[in-house]
Amino acid sequence: MLNSVLICGAGPTGLALANDLAMAGIDVVLIEKSEERSLAEPVFDGREIALTHKSTAILRRLGAWERLAADAVHPLTRTKVYNGQSPLALAFTPDANKGDQLGSMVSNCDIRRALFDCAAARANIKLMTGVSVGQVITTPTEGRITLGNGQCLSGPLVVAADSRFSALRSQLGIAARMYRLGKSMLVGRVGLDRDHCGIATEWFDHGQTLALLPLGPRIASAVVTLPDGQAAALADMDPRALGAELTRRFRRRFGTMEMLTPLHRYPLTISYAGRFAAARATLVGDAAVGMHPVTAHGFNLGLSGTARLAGLLRQAGDLGEASLLRRYEIGHRVATWPLYAATNAIVGLYTDERTTGRIARHMGLGAARVTPARRMISRLLMQAA
């Protein structure tokens, strides 16, 4: 265990990194406070992930894609963005060399299950579940972790994969910009009268943001973002009343909506770590960058970051060598900061209820409809560059 990479957090990015390193012959200890059963059979949590082609390729390489059931993967053919009641939409379509899809929709729980199944089958991944991380100390030569049960572990590298509220990040002395937005995202599956045709639709409406993400025929994920108090009240409605309320909010664009699952509520906080690495330690996933969900790229960025880190570690003699971690940090910052900043700018513009904000939105939507601008935005959002 002295030569094992210690990964704290067995969410999707922690599992992806563990699998990637194990495939390269690197021993891994994966530490998770949840019990193993919850990892092996994760419950549906309402979140549907829009996977880019790049993310799909990574999951294929890790062996996770083939573990997804055929009916768990849904094509995302186009995206349309509306501003308020304007009939004009900003549309994004696939590049000619990317086939007929922008990406694929897969439930978060299905991705987690597939990645866990891969990890459980690999002999050089040691799973330590049902145990918390107590203390983390790093030196120039090793990282040391004391678990909540008193057990001590050491290795050449400690990886924080424990969410945007990362306790490990704090112990490493790494500050993060944290913004609690005062809003919550509500997500749940609905049945539709009119089919979505594989198109994801988003409305930046006055006082709310709405999205409809395509799943099976006449089945979609409804996403509603509201101030915290309004979101809590909406989530507490009974299913029939809730279906009627979503039908009203979506202005019957898809006919009557019927709730197929409860709404899950997630208070929105975005974050960006001041550093992605420290002595013998590094951050991945939301511990490094906690994206706003509006562009649906939090997991995609986290997955590309784990692939970047694993690629560097495969070539390393010393798995925690400072210059190697610095290369990871620079690469991941270059990859994440433009999208993080652009996403926050989009959210700020399209949720500004002032007259000046509405005028700017109208002008911005018109400019973005010009082909070169639309292509540039599409490449950024779909990571096709």
Side-chain angles (χ1 to χ4, degrees), residues 146-171:
T146 302
L147 302 178
N149 60 10
Q151 185 175 356
C152 294
L153 307 173
S154 63
L157 178 64
V158 174
V159 180
D162 56 341
S163 87
R164 66 190 65 196
F165 304 104
S166 174
L168 190 59
R169 181 181 64 212
S170 297
Q171 287 205 47

mmCIF file of all heavy atoms in Angstrom, residues 146-171:
data_model
loop_
_atom_site.group_PDB
_atom_site.id
_atom_site.type_symbol
_atom_site.label_atom_id
_atom_site.label_comp_id
_atom_site.label_asym_id
_atom_site.label_seq_id
_atom_site.Cartn_x
_atom_site.Cartn_y
_atom_site.Cartn_z
ATOM 1 N N THR A 146 -4.964 9.645 7.858
ATOM 2 C CA THR A 146 -5.491 8.937 9.024
ATOM 3 C C THR A 146 -6.999 8.859 8.848
ATOM 4 O O THR A 146 -7.678 9.885 8.697
ATOM 5 C CB THR A 146 -5.165 9.665 10.338
ATOM 6 O OG1 THR A 146 -3.751 9.808 10.449
ATOM 7 C CG2 THR A 146 -5.692 8.893 11.527
ATOM 8 N N LEU A 147 -7.527 7.648 8.826
ATOM 9 C CA LEU A 147 -8.955 7.442 8.625
ATOM 10 C C LEU A 147 -9.722 7.642 9.928
ATOM 11 O O LEU A 147 -9.144 7.661 11.015
ATOM 12 C CB LEU A 147 -9.204 6.041 8.067
ATOM 13 C CG LEU A 147 -8.489 5.717 6.746
ATOM 14 C CD1 LEU A 147 -8.795 4.282 6.341
ATOM 15 C CD2 LEU A 147 -8.909 6.690 5.655
ATOM 16 N N GLY A 148 -11.034 7.771 9.784
ATOM 17 C CA GLY A 148 -11.873 7.965 10.955
ATOM 18 C C GLY A 148 -11.810 6.818 11.938
ATOM 19 O O GLY A 148 -12.066 7.001 13.134
ATOM 20 N N ASN A 149 -11.446 5.624 11.459
ATOM 21 C CA ASN A 149 -11.342 4.458 12.349
ATOM 22 C C ASN A 149 -9.947 4.322 12.963
ATOM 23 O O ASN A 149 -9.650 3.324 13.622
ATOM 24 C CB ASN A 149 -11.707 3.177 11.601
ATOM 25 C CG ASN A 149 -10.798 2.903 10.403
ATOM 26 O OD1 ASN A 149 -9.771 3.562 10.225
ATOM 27 N ND2 ASN A 149 -11.173 1.937 9.578
ATOM 28 N N GLY A 150 -9.081 5.315 12.709
ATOM 29 C CA GLY A 150 -7.738 5.300 13.278
ATOM 30 C C GLY A 150 -6.683 4.687 12.400
ATOM 31 O O GLY A 150 -5.483 4.813 12.688
ATOM 32 N N GLN A 151 -7.071 4.015 11.319
ATOM 33 C CA GLN A 151 -6.090 3.386 10.427
ATOM 34 C C GLN A 151 -5.306 4.457 9.675
ATOM 35 O O GLN A 151 -5.839 5.484 9.268
ATOM 36 C CB GLN A 151 -6.799 2.465 9.431
ATOM 37 C CG GLN A 151 -5.856 1.675 8.531
ATOM 38 C CD GLN A 151 -6.596 0.692 7.646
ATOM 39 O OE1 GLN A 151 -7.832 0.538 7.748
ATOM 40 N NE2 GLN A 151 -5.879 0.024 6.764
ATOM 41 N N CYS A 152 -4.018 4.192 9.469
ATOM 42 C CA CYS A 152 -3.148 5.143 8.771
ATOM 43 C C CYS A 152 -2.708 4.567 7.431
ATOM 44 O O CYS A 152 -2.358 3.379 7.338
ATOM 45 C CB CYS A 152 -1.916 5.471 9.617
ATOM 46 S SG CYS A 152 -2.294 6.351 11.143
ATOM 47 N N LEU A 153 -2.730 5.406 6.399
ATOM 48 C CA LEU A 153 -2.311 5.019 5.059
ATOM 49 C C LEU A 153 -1.272 6.024 4.571
ATOM 50 O O LEU A 153 -1.304 7.196 4.947
ATOM 51 C CB LEU A 153 -3.491 5.022 4.089
ATOM 52 C CG LEU A 153 -4.742 4.225 4.458
ATOM 53 C CD1 LEU A 153 -5.848 4.502 3.445
ATOM 54 C CD2 LEU A 153 -4.431 2.738 4.514
ATOM 55 N N SER A 154 -0.384 5.568 3.725
ATOM 56 C CA SER A 154 0.574 6.483 3.110
ATOM 57 C C SER A 154 0.820 6.060 1.673
ATOM 58 O O SER A 154 0.656 4.890 1.303
ATOM 59 C CB SER A 154 1.891 6.504 3.885
ATOM 60 O OG SER A 154 2.503 5.229 3.866
ATOM 61 N N GLY A 155 1.176 7.027 0.852
ATOM 62 C CA GLY A 155 1.438 6.749 -0.550
ATOM 63 C C GLY A 155 2.119 7.922 -1.207
ATOM 64 O O GLY A 155 2.254 8.997 -0.613
ATOM 65 N N PRO A 156 2.538 7.775 -2.454
ATOM 66 C CA PRO A 156 3.261 8.853 -3.138
ATOM 67 C C PRO A 156 2.371 10.019 -3.551
ATOM 68 O O PRO A 156 2.875 11.103 -3.834
ATOM 69 C CB PRO A 156 3.843 8.147 -4.367
ATOM 70 C CG PRO A 156 2.879 7.024 -4.635
ATOM 71 C CD PRO A 156 2.437 6.555 -3.279
ATOM 72 N N LEU A 157 1.035 9.797 -3.591
ATOM 73 C CA LEU A 157 0.131 10.842 -4.058
ATOM 74 C C LEU A 157 -1.236 10.663 -3.414
ATOM 75 O O LEU A 157 -1.769 9.558 -3.345
ATOM 76 C CB LEU A 157 -0.016 10.780 -5.590
ATOM 77 C CG LEU A 157 -0.962 11.780 -6.241
ATOM 78 C CD1 LEU A 157 -0.460 13.215 -6.044
ATOM 79 C CD2 LEU A 157 -1.151 11.473 -7.719
ATOM 80 N N VAL A 158 -1.797 11.790 -2.947
ATOM 81 C CA VAL A 158 -3.166 11.826 -2.428
ATOM 82 C C VAL A 158 -4.013 12.627 -3.404
ATOM 83 O O VAL A 158 -3.611 13.720 -3.831
ATOM 84 C CB VAL A 158 -3.219 12.477 -1.029
ATOM 85 C CG1 VAL A 158 -4.662 12.650 -0.560
ATOM 86 C CG2 VAL A 158 -2.426 11.648 -0.029
ATOM 87 N N VAL A 159 -5.183 12.107 -3.751
ATOM 88 C CA VAL A 159 -6.073 12.780 -4.696
ATOM 89 C C VAL A 159 -7.391 13.104 -4.003
ATOM 90 O O VAL A 159 -8.042 12.203 -3.442
ATOM 91 C CB VAL A 159 -6.344 11.906 -5.940
ATOM 92 C CG1 VAL A 159 -7.286 12.636 -6.902
ATOM 93 C CG2 VAL A 159 -5.042 11.546 -6.648
ATOM 94 N N ALA A 160 -7.778 14.367 -4.043
ATOM 95 C CA ALA A 160 -9.066 14.792 -3.502
ATOM 96 C C ALA A 160 -10.110 14.724 -4.612
ATOM 97 O O ALA A 160 -10.021 15.441 -5.601
ATOM 98 C CB ALA A 160 -8.985 16.210 -2.942
ATOM 99 N N ALA A 161 -11.095 13.833 -4.428
ATOM 100 C CA ALA A 161 -12.211 13.710 -5.366
ATOM 101 C C ALA A 161 -13.518 13.735 -4.571
ATOM 102 O O ALA A 161 -14.449 12.993 -4.858
ATOM 103 C CB ALA A 161 -12.094 12.412 -6.170
ATOM 104 N N ASP A 162 -13.548 14.597 -3.555
ATOM 105 C CA ASP A 162 -14.627 14.565 -2.557
ATOM 106 C C ASP A 162 -15.570 15.760 -2.640
ATOM 107 O O ASP A 162 -15.966 16.304 -1.624
ATOM 108 C CB ASP A 162 -14.046 14.455 -1.145
ATOM 109 C CG ASP A 162 -13.051 15.566 -0.818
ATOM 110 O OD1 ASP A 162 -12.538 16.200 -1.751
ATOM 111 O OD2 ASP A 162 -12.787 15.787 0.376
ATOM 112 N N SER A 163 -15.941 16.188 -3.852
ATOM 113 C CA SER A 163 -16.996 17.159 -4.119
ATOM 114 C C SER A 163 -16.496 18.595 -4.053
ATOM 115 O O SER A 163 -15.387 18.885 -3.585
ATOM 116 C CB SER A 163 -18.186 16.991 -3.157
ATOM 117 O OG SER A 163 -17.983 17.728 -1.949
ATOM 118 N N ARG A 164 -17.355 19.504 -4.510
ATOM 119 C CA ARG A 164 -16.999 20.930 -4.516
ATOM 120 C C ARG A 164 -16.905 21.508 -3.112
ATOM 121 O O ARG A 164 -16.365 22.596 -2.925
ATOM 122 C CB ARG A 164 -17.988 21.711 -5.378
ATOM 123 C CG ARG A 164 -19.409 21.774 -4.874
ATOM 124 C CD ARG A 164 -20.317 22.368 -5.944
ATOM 125 N NE ARG A 164 -20.385 21.496 -7.116
ATOM 126 C CZ ARG A 164 -20.836 21.874 -8.316
ATOM 127 N NH1 ARG A 164 -21.252 23.114 -8.494
ATOM 128 N NH2 ARG A 164 -20.874 21.028 -9.329
ATOM 129 N N PHE A 165 -17.411 20.795 -2.123
ATOM 130 C CA PHE A 165 -17.287 21.215 -0.724
ATOM 131 C C PHE A 165 -16.144 20.467 -0.036
ATOM 132 O O PHE A 165 -16.165 20.239 1.169
ATOM 133 C CB PHE A 165 -18.596 20.966 0.018
ATOM 134 C CG PHE A 165 -19.785 21.627 -0.617
ATOM 135 C CD1 PHE A 165 -20.700 20.893 -1.357
ATOM 136 C CD2 PHE A 165 -19.980 22.988 -0.497
ATOM 137 C CE1 PHE A 165 -21.788 21.494 -1.953
ATOM 138 C CE2 PHE A 165 -21.070 23.610 -1.088
ATOM 139 C CZ PHE A 165 -21.980 22.867 -1.820
ATOM 140 N N SER A 166 -15.159 20.083 -0.796
ATOM 141 C CA SER A 166 -14.072 19.212 -0.381
ATOM 142 C C SER A 166 -13.436 19.580 0.962
ATOM 143 O O SER A 166 -12.833 20.644 1.121
ATOM 144 C CB SER A 166 -12.984 19.210 -1.464
ATOM 145 O OG SER A 166 -11.848 18.497 -1.041
ATOM 146 N N ALA A 167 -13.566 18.664 1.925
ATOM 147 C CA ALA A 167 -12.883 18.834 3.209
ATOM 148 C C ALA A 167 -11.386 18.582 3.055
ATOM 149 O O ALA A 167 -10.564 19.205 3.734
ATOM 150 C CB ALA A 167 -13.476 17.879 4.245
ATOM 151 N N LEU A 168 -11.027 17.681 2.147
ATOM 152 C CA LEU A 168 -9.615 17.381 1.912
ATOM 153 C C LEU A 168 -8.894 18.592 1.325
ATOM 154 O O LEU A 168 -7.761 18.900 1.701
ATOM 155 C CB LEU A 168 -9.498 16.179 0.976
ATOM 156 C CG LEU A 168 -8.108 15.573 0.789
ATOM 157 C CD1 LEU A 168 -7.542 15.112 2.115
ATOM 158 C CD2 LEU A 168 -8.178 14.413 -0.191
ATOM 159 N N ARG A 169 -9.559 19.297 0.431
ATOM 160 C CA ARG A 169 -8.980 20.507 -0.153
ATOM 161 C C ARG A 169 -8.631 21.512 0.941
ATOM 162 O O ARG A 169 -7.555 22.122 0.926
ATOM 163 C CB ARG A 169 -9.977 21.114 -1.141
ATOM 164 C CG ARG A 169 -9.492 22.377 -1.845
ATOM 165 C CD ARG A 169 -10.568 22.904 -2.777
ATOM 166 N NE ARG A 169 -11.763 23.314 -2.042
ATOM 167 C CZ ARG A 169 -13.001 23.228 -2.513
ATOM 168 N NH1 ARG A 169 -13.224 22.765 -3.729
ATOM 169 N NH2 ARG A 169 -14.028 23.614 -1.775
ATOM 170 N N SER A 170 -9.524 21.661 1.902
ATOM 171 C CA SER A 170 -9.267 22.593 3.008
ATOM 172 C C SER A 170 -8.075 22.140 3.837
ATOM 173 O O SER A 170 -7.234 22.960 4.243
ATOM 174 C CB SER A 170 -10.507 22.707 3.888
ATOM 175 O OG SER A 170 -11.597 23.252 3.165
ATOM 176 N N GLN A 171 -7.989 20.838 4.113
ATOM 177 C CA GLN A 171 -6.862 20.330 4.895
ATOM 178 C C GLN A 171 -5.534 20.543 4.177
ATOM 179 O O GLN A 171 -4.493 20.696 4.831
ATOM 180 C CB GLN A 171 -7.056 18.852 5.210
ATOM 181 C CG GLN A 171 -8.110 18.566 6.252
ATOM 182 C CD GLN A 171 -7.847 17.244 6.955
ATOM 183 O OE1 GLN A 171 -6.731 16.969 7.376
ATOM 184 N NE2 GLN A 171 -8.881 16.432 7.073
#
